[in-house]
Amino acid sequence: MKQNETDSRITDVSFEDGQVIRARYIIGADGARSIIRTIAGIGFSDPEGPNLANNSMAQMIFADVTFEPEPVGLVTLEGHLNATVFSGNIFILLPFGNRFNAELTRDGEPTTKSVFRVGCAVPLMNGEPSHTPPKEYIQDLIDTYGPACITSDPSLNPTPVKVDQLIWSTRSRTHSAIADRTFTRFGAVIFLVGDAAHIHSPLGGQGMNLAIRDAIFLAEVVTKHIQASVENPDVDDTMLQEIADVRHARALEIIGFTKTLLKLASLTYDSYAWWMPCSGASIRDLILWILGRFNYVPTKVAWGLSGLGRR
């Protein structure tokens, strides 16, 4: 990208095939390793400093699988999110049923079985998993950390089940980072959205929700800015800066929220001292048990996780 030589509000964007596009607006939606962000000279770092992820929760594995035979039990009810938090780790099980099979298996082998999404933290001391962990690795995680009804261990599950089809798997980091600014000018307007503007722990499922909201609010403001520039070619960028500040603040809020979830999930059951036989994890469990008895609290949490409470 380089500023146009004849119009200071236009940027010439060159592509690998030699094509050059003259643009007044450039939206950086090109991921955590954003080329647009790099060329624009925008920094990208953790707002609280580097290397804050707890070692036990620094990396997570997610996978969509089917089982043979299909498991039964309360935690396998379709649409119910099950999260088992234990000493320094968390295991997530989300039964999708088979209503999304066409979308989930679009790039692979189709299936009519119920699909389950599993997620689990992998401590750094266990090594670094591959970017797409194989079926055997996922099976081992399930047998080690998962609920009894989906394990292949007959000593835990009277009806052992095994991973039948691995539809998708990925390794995810739990570190956070945010762009120093999401709006700047490089001739043209440059605006960062999604992972190009912010990344954070996958706990809470906030990434895509936040990115979609970025795009929705930006589309409205860019439309207004285009309309204003028709009447006045030298219109200032106040409205763009305002929405950039709002989205930046919202991203910081989400990063703080996911870090809180990460800290809660990473608490262990180790006692503080011999004279204080309690632990951070046991205190967390007690508080969550008490709060969970008030209907308002689960509703408030669900509202926040959906993104509707953090527009």
Side-chain angles (χ1 to χ4, degrees), residues 17-80:
D17 60 3
Q19 182 184 19
V20 178
I21 293 179
R22 300 170 71 245
R24 291 187 180 276
Y25 298 87
I26 299 172
I27 309 302
D30 50 342
R33 295 180 175 86
S34 173
I35 296 175
I36 293 174
R37 185 186 66 231
T38 301
I39 294 175
I42 299 175
F44 194 61
S45 60
D46 191 311
E48 296 181 8
N51 197 31
L52 293 181
N54 182 286
N55 283 344
S56 66
M57 300 283 289
Q59 52 190 2
M60 296 189 71
I61 297 298
F62 292 92
D64 290 342
V65 300
T66 63
F67 291 103
E68 178 58 40
E70 293 200 12
V72 294
L74 291 177
V75 299
T76 66
L77 294 177
E78 180 180 339
H80 287 68

Side-chain angles (χ1 to χ4, degrees), residues 7-280:
D7 191 329
S8 62
R9 287 186 166 237
I10 289 181
T11 294
D12 296 331
V13 183
S14 302
F15 293 84
E16 291 181 350
D17 60 3
Q19 182 184 19
V20 178
I21 293 179
R22 300 170 71 245
R24 291 187 180 276
Y25 298 87
I26 299 172
I27 309 302
D30 50 342
R33 295 180 175 86
S34 173
I35 296 175
I36 293 174
R37 185 186 66 231
T38 301
I39 294 175
I42 299 175
F44 194 61
S45 60
D46 191 311
E48 296 181 8
N51 197 31
L52 293 181
N54 182 286
N55 283 344
S56 66
M57 300 283 289
Q59 52 190 2
M60 296 189 71
I61 297 298
F62 292 92
D64 290 342
V65 300
T66 63
F67 291 103
E68 178 58 40
E70 293 200 12
V72 294
L74 291 177
V75 299
T76 66
L77 294 177
E78 180 180 339
H80 287 68
L81 173 63
N82 305 278
T84 305
V85 181
F86 40 97
S87 191
N89 207 330
I90 184 171
F91 187 92
I92 299 168
L93 175 67
L94 177 57
F96 285 138
N98 55 18
R99 67 176 65 188
F100 303 115
N101 285 17
E103 291 79 11
L104 294 173
T105 62
R106 182 177 302 164
D107 299 324
E109 181 182 345
T111 182
T112 58
K113 290 185 175 181
S114 296
V115 176
F116 296 79
R117 176 158 295 177
V118 296
C120 186
V122 178
L124 291 178
M125 63 182 182
N126 291 358
E128 184 177 281
S130 66
H131 289 286
T132 54
K135 181 167 75 171
E136 294 75 19
Y137 190 94
I138 302 301
Q139 181 69 68
D140 184 61
L141 281 181
I142 292 173
D143 290 343
T144 303
Y145 300 107
C149 67
I150 62 170
T151 71
S152 62
D153 186 347
S155 66
L156 298 175
N157 186 3
T159 309
V161 299
K162 291 186 176 182
V163 174
D164 180 37
Q165 182 179 344
L166 176 60
I167 298 170
W168 164 84
S169 66
T170 188
R171 181 195 69 200
S172 177
R173 306 290 190 185
T174 59
H175 66 281
S176 301
I178 189 169
D180 295 342
R181 56 191 187 280
T182 53
F183 162 71
T184 189
R185 269 200 179 272
F186 196 80
V189 167
I190 293 182
F191 212 105
L192 303 177
V193 297
D195 284 357
H198 39 69
I199 58 173
H200 47 75
S201 163
L203 287 184
Q206 297 299 293
M208 186 169 65
N209 283 352
L210 183 58
I212 290 173
R213 296 199 299 276
D214 284 347
I216 290 172
F217 287 108
L218 178 59
E220 180 180 355
V221 173
V222 168
T223 299
K224 292 179 179 178
H225 194 265
I226 292 173
Q227 292 170 343
S229 64
V230 171
E231 301 176 2
N232 177 15
D234 296 320
V235 62
D236 64 36
D237 297 329
T238 301
M239 65 177 74
L240 296 173
Q241 187 60 61
E242 288 176 350
I243 192 63
D245 292 342
V246 169
R247 299 316 303 162
H248 190 270
R250 187 64 75 210
L252 284 173
E253 181 182 336
I254 293 297
I255 287 174
F257 174 68
T258 58
K259 283 187 174 186
T260 298
L261 291 179
L262 194 64
K263 290 174 183 176
L264 287 173
S266 63
L267 293 174
T268 69
Y269 289 98
D270 298 330
S271 298
Y272 286 117
W274 64 268
W275 46 269
M276 184 181 290
C278 63
S279 63

Side-chain angles (χ1 to χ4, degrees), residues 271-290:
S271 298
Y272 286 117
W274 64 268
W275 46 269
M276 184 181 290
C278 63
S279 63
S282 59
I283 295 174
R284 172 202 63 203
D285 295 346
L286 176 61
I287 293 174
L288 291 178
W289 179 78
I290 294 173

